[in-house]
Amino acid sequence: MRISTWTRDLISSLIGAWIIVGIYIDGWAHVNMGDRLETFFTPWHAVFYSGLAAFFGWLAVVGLMVRRPGDSPQAVFGRLPVGYKAGTIGAAIFAVGGAADMFWHELLGIETSIDALLSPPHIVLLCGFLLMGTTAWRSQRAVSDTATIPELISLASVVAVVGFFLNYLAPFRWAAPNTPFVQYQDEQNVILWIAGLLAFTMIFLIPVLWQLRDGRYRIGTLSGLILVTGTLLVYGMSQGWSGSLLMAGVLGATAGAILVELLLTQAPWRGWRYGPPIVMGIAAFTVWSGQLVGYHIAGGVQWPLTLWLGTLLVVAGSGAAVGAVAWRPPTPPPPPLGDVEEAAVAKRLSAAA
């Protein structure tokens, strides 16, 4: 059987998305069913572990496509396409984490709070999925000069799983600015909100910088990452908040991201001396401003101007900081040959003196 690289990677990316949806469904069960989860063997686990089985099956198909007569299993592994070796290792890690997760739950019970996200078997599952989920991303980057649909689905899956494991900080799970602020009483809410914005600024902007760095950015990437991850967090992990209010924040942040993408694709920022820090600072400010606008339209922001505007400036600074990591100073043009010769003569005279 022969299929195109694009089709092969599309299937890989869609199986990764299947697993991600299953992980969020299981997260919903932990959040909403709590103590009623008494065993490892639940329909929620079945959804994403069946995705693991599908991934193993698909890896076997890919292995058969590259296998030559007489090849040993090691030889077949060596012939796997770019990205699929790490994906195979990731699937093995995920399977080990799943087995550990089963014994962990049967021996110690079911976690129903933040301890579920920090459970050692779950961290192993995360590491395995990061390798599995990036299979199509790495494969397509090796064969295509421009970003492709399988590549972007793969990237979105990885961002979504990182968002899941950091959902206790997610600014999409609650709307702190829509609650009253009382000095000396509500500082903890503000601190958690700022921490969440800082964390998710990194989660969204670092993949954008990867794509920009390699000339692979496609309009819709940032807005897609925010819309997908935000929606999954709202409906999978939030509790006690209006879904319509939280989705207003997601849609507002997505609208802000679309404005950022117009800047990224239309403005000549690559020619600016400090282009990456400037555009990433604007990106952070615009995305989270859009979320605040959405929250205000849906329910009314109650924080004072000093508080919410200062928060936006802090996260803009964090965006500029992550942009600065990718910044390189422009290379100055070489001096004219005459100047070089004069400099050499002056250096010799100085040494002689």
Side-chain angles (χ1 to χ4, degrees), residues 6-17 55 58-59 62 84 132-133 135-136 150 153-154:
W6 189 94
T7 302
R8 180 196 69 201
D9 292 343
L10 177 65
I11 294 172
S12 299
S13 67
L14 290 176
I15 295 174
F55 196 80
W58 180 238
L59 287 174
V62 174
Y84 283 80
M132 295 165 61
T135 297
I153 293 174
S154 176

Side-chain angles (χ1 to χ4, degrees), residues 25-84:
I25 291 174
D26 185 58
W28 175 90
H30 279 271
V31 169
N32 292 281
M33 300 185 68
D35 295 337
R36 287 177 286 172
L37 295 175
E38 299 177 352
T39 177
F40 173 84
F41 299 98
T42 67
W44 330 114
H45 276 175
V47 175
F48 70 84
Y49 281 118
S50 63
L52 171 64
F55 196 80
F56 266 120
W58 180 238
L59 287 174
V61 172
V62 174
L64 289 173
M65 287 191 291
V66 301
R67 182 180 181 274
R68 295 177 182 176
D71 272 353
S72 65
Q74 293 86 349
V76 173
F77 179 79
R79 295 187 193 282
L80 289 175
V82 172
Y84 283 80

Side-chain angles (χ1 to χ4, degrees), residues 174 181-182 184-194:
W174 62 318
F181 172 73
V182 180
Y184 307 112
Q185 294 183 25
D186 296 318
E187 279 89 349
Q188 192 70 20
N189 286 342
V190 178
I191 292 168
L192 287 173
W193 184 255
I194 294 174

